[in-house]
Amino acid sequence: KDKGNNNTVKNNGYDKALKAVLVAENSLSSVDSESARDLVALVTDKNLKQELASRLDAVDAAIDATKLVDALEKLVNDSLNKDDLNNAVDFRDENAVEKAVTDLTNESVKEELQTRVDALNKILNDNTAPVVSGVEDGETRNESVSVTVDEEDVKVTVTLNGTEIENADVFTLEGEYVYTVVDAAFNETVVKFTIDTTNPEFVGLVSGNHYDEITLDVSDATDVTITVVNKDTGVTEEVEVGTVLTEDATYYITAVDAAGNSSSIWVAIDTTAPVISGVSETTPTNKNEIVYVSDKFLMTVTIDGTEYTREDFTVGANNENFSFQKKVTHEGTHTVVATDKFGNTTTVTFVIDKTAPEVVSVVKSNNDKATKNDVTVTVTLNEKGVAPEGWTQVSDTEFTKVYSENGKYT
């Protein structure tokens, strides 16, 4: 009877301790674990006592590991920047959180905690900034921009000309963009880009016009390349904004900005008046004359009031370098006026005189009598003349000659 009572006491002590251990294993509560240890201490069977104590050690290890993971998780979730995350890394490493989980014998708890630690490590071990594709940092485009990010759990902030706007799949408005991506590990990528769809415009220049000089200014002078083609010489060169052209020529000028937008104009510098040749303004002629006129932009030629236009001209390459010629046969004073497209004018007057002059008077100093002295003969014409050889021209119409040799003169 006494032996049976002892067995009952023993069994009752183990049973109570076992029940307390089971409660602690299910609750993973430090209070339940401590209560169970008090009961395990009353178990007299060493083997049973050791078995229950080992199970409680596993419970305490799970409780401690859970507390560590909870603390680590809070540090990560409360982090506001990369420094906070680095503090969480230090906590993880100094407290051997990962080892505390991997050493657990409670497989269900171990699996649950390992899943949480893996998720935290994905953040804590991430030092790689998000990759932004679709546009390069500093790029300027003349078209819409589509931006993608290689991570999903990120915060995207977009500003346009300094004002925050909503993120979008495609950006179309002109302006300067700052596209900022921050992932869960506070790794940051910033991409700045510009959308510019406006063509640069030349200031103060109109295509097709001419100027005394040309200053190459554009409406948007930032990162603009200007190419000048001198169509007269065939020379092409890149010049700076603000360059002044002064050489007479026709120019084809193109401005291209950093986005590839461009504008082109045809302009000319023409300070040269048309050239009239083939006739003399100073020397009359008794022959027919051919009037030659040439000019790059010749528009009209008027001869004695009769106007000739481009339909009457010969034209060179690029619809430039016009020339004209006209034969003039009748006597008289003739006036040629040539005007180019830009108002430069040349006027030439010449004389054709096919009628011989008439002698109005002949005066001899000897009065037609024989004399041993020199005789001066003065001849007066009815119009302007030219002194024959040996004669002296006194005026436009009067000429003299001195005869000093013996003889009879006619």
Side-chain angles (χ1 to χ4, degrees):
K1 183 175 179 180
D2 292 339
K3 186 177 181 179
N5 288 337
N6 289 335
N7 288 334
T8 300
V9 171
K10 173 186 173 183
N11 289 338
N12 286 342
Y14 174 76
D15 290 342
K16 288 182 179 180
L18 178 60
K19 289 180 180 179
V21 169
L22 289 172
V23 170
E25 287 176 333
N26 288 328
S27 68
L28 293 180
S29 165
S30 297
V31 174
D32 291 339
S33 177
E34 291 174 3
S35 297
R37 283 193 183 278
D38 291 340
L39 293 174
V40 170
L42 300 176
V43 177
T44 57
D45 188 298
K46 292 183 178 180
N47 292 331
L48 294 176
K49 183 176 184 178
Q50 181 60 43
E51 174 199 348
L52 295 178
S54 296
R55 290 172 66 175
L56 285 176
D57 289 342
V59 169
D60 289 343
I63 292 173
D64 291 341
T66 300
K67 288 180 178 179
L68 288 173
V69 173
D70 287 344
L72 180 62
E73 200 168 54
K74 187 174 189 310
L75 286 173
V76 172
N77 291 338
D78 291 347
S79 291
L80 299 177
N81 49 52
K82 195 69 173 177
D83 288 340
D84 290 344
L85 280 185
N86 289 334
N87 291 335
V89 171
D90 292 340
F91 175 86
R92 178 196 66 186
D93 296 343
E94 291 170 2
N95 292 277
V97 176
E98 294 168 296
K99 187 176 186 306
V101 173
T102 57
D103 287 348
L104 292 178
T105 58
N106 187 324
E107 291 300 326
S108 63
V109 174
K110 179 179 180 179
E111 182 179 357
E112 186 266 332
L113 292 181
Q114 189 63 59
T115 298
R116 291 169 63 188
V117 169
D118 289 343
L120 294 172
N121 280 339
K122 185 178 180 180
I123 297 173
L124 295 174
N125 296 334
D126 181 7
N127 293 306
T128 302
V131 176
V132 175
S133 57
V135 66
E136 297 293 329
D137 185 39
E139 186 177 359
T140 298
R141 295 251 191 106
N142 61 356
E143 60 185 3
S144 60
V145 173
S146 177
V147 181
T148 57
V149 182
D150 68 339
E151 298 183 34
E152 293 184 358
D153 186 18
V154 294
K155 178 183 178 182
V156 177
T157 304
V158 185
T159 64
L160 173 58
N161 298 326
T163 301
E164 186 170 345
I165 62 173
E166 290 187 7
N167 187 22
D169 293 331
V170 179
F171 299 100
T172 59
L173 296 177
E174 284 192 293
E176 297 179 353
Y177 290 81
V178 178
Y179 191 93
T180 303
V181 184
V182 181
D183 64 16
F186 295 101
N187 299 303
E188 181 180 84
T189 298
V190 179
V191 176
K192 298 179 181 180
F193 61 92
T194 300
I195 296 179
D196 178 6
T197 59
T198 301
N199 293 329
E201 297 294 336
F202 290 96
V203 177
L205 300 177
V206 177
S207 188
N209 280 9
H210 95 294
Y211 303 89
D212 293 335
E213 64 177 25
I214 296 171
T215 301
L216 299 178
D217 288 329
V218 291
S219 57
D220 182 3
T222 304
D223 295 327
V224 172
T225 300
I226 297 179
T227 302
V228 177
V229 181
N230 185 320
K231 302 302 288 187
D232 292 8
T233 64
V235 174
T236 300
E237 60 179 337
E238 286 190 4
V239 301
E240 299 291 332
V241 174
T243 295
V244 179
L245 306 178
T246 59
E247 180 183 354
D248 272 26
T250 300
Y251 297 95
Y252 182 68
I253 306 173
T254 301
V256 182
D257 65 18
N261 304 300
S262 65
S263 294
S264 298
I265 58 173
W266 286 91
V267 289
I269 295 177
D270 182 15
T271 60
T272 303
V275 174
I276 300 174
S277 60
V279 296
S280 172
E281 285 194 280
T282 58
T283 304
T285 180
N286 61 356
K287 299 177 181 180
N288 297 335
E289 294 282 18
I290 298 178
V291 178
Y292 297 94
V293 183
S294 62
D295 187 81
K296 189 175 185 179
F297 301 107
L298 187 63
M299 286 297 290
T300 62
V301 176
T302 301
I303 300 179
D304 299 332
T306 300
E307 184 178 83
Y308 302 91
T309 63
R310 285 190 170 179
E311 294 179 354
D312 306 301
F313 303 160
T314 300
V315 62
N318 299 321
N319 199 36
E320 297 178 348
N321 299 315
F322 295 87
S323 60
F324 172 75
Q325 64 182 56
K326 186 70 175 178
K327 186 175 184 179
V328 181
T329 61
H330 60 281
E331 287 188 292
T333 299
H334 304 282
T335 301
V336 182
V337 180
T339 304
D340 68 14
K341 178 180 178 180
F342 307 116
N344 299 304
T345 300
T346 300
T347 301
V348 170
T349 299
F350 66 97
V351 175
I352 296 178
D353 183 1
K354 297 180 180 181
T355 302
E358 295 180 3
V359 177
V360 175
S361 67
V362 178
V363 177
K364 306 167 189 175
S365 63
N366 66 342
N367 295 317
D368 288 332
K369 295 179 181 181
T371 180
K372 61 180 181 180
N373 299 319
D374 293 344
V375 176
T376 299
V377 178
T378 300
V379 176
T380 302
L381 303 179
N382 66 336
E383 62 178 319
K384 181 179 179 180
V386 178
E389 185 177 356
W391 288 73
T392 300
Q393 187 158 356
V394 179
S395 67
D396 287 344
T397 59
E398 188 176 307
F399 308 87
T400 63
K401 183 174 181 180
V402 177
Y403 293 86
S404 57
E405 300 291 331
N406 290 334
K408 186 176 183 180
Y409 298 92
T410 302

